[in-house]
Amino acid sequence: MDRVLFSFGPFTIYWYSVTMLLAVLTGIYLALLESKKVGCKEYIDNLVVPLVLFGIIGARLYYVIFNFISCH
């Protein structure tokens, strides 16, 4: 299977980025559905951006640390 979903000019869209975007959007959607049931939608609205940013930063740190350890 090709890693590239499609490319146009200098821009290339990979399957990995599309699946990660869908996972984040699905998580946000499910969290908002659950928060409406409980009645704390504003709480989830305020947490979405920091959680996504910290998730990306944490995943990158894990990758760097794991590769550093496995290379030595």
Side-chain angles (χ1 to χ4, degrees):
M1 182 173 181
D2 195 15
R3 294 181 345 165
V4 176
L5 177 61
F6 57 88
S7 63
F8 46 95
F11 299 105
T12 303
I13 306 296
Y14 294 96
W15 279 106
Y16 177 78
S17 59
V18 173
T19 57
M20 291 306 292
L21 177 66
L22 288 174
V24 168
L25 292 177
T26 302
I28 292 169
Y29 176 72
L30 292 175
L32 288 173
L33 280 180
E34 287 298 315
S35 69
K36 286 180 186 177
K37 291 179 186 176
V38 177
C40 60
K41 184 181 178 302
E42 296 80 22
Y43 185 70
I44 299 298
D45 289 339
N46 293 334
L47 280 178
V48 166
V49 173
L51 287 178
V52 170
L53 288 176
F54 286 132
I56 292 170
I57 292 168
R60 187 63 188 172
L61 281 173
Y62 174 80
Y63 175 80
V64 169
I65 292 169
F66 181 75
N67 282 330
F68 179 75
I69 292 171
S70 66
C71 289
H72 286 86

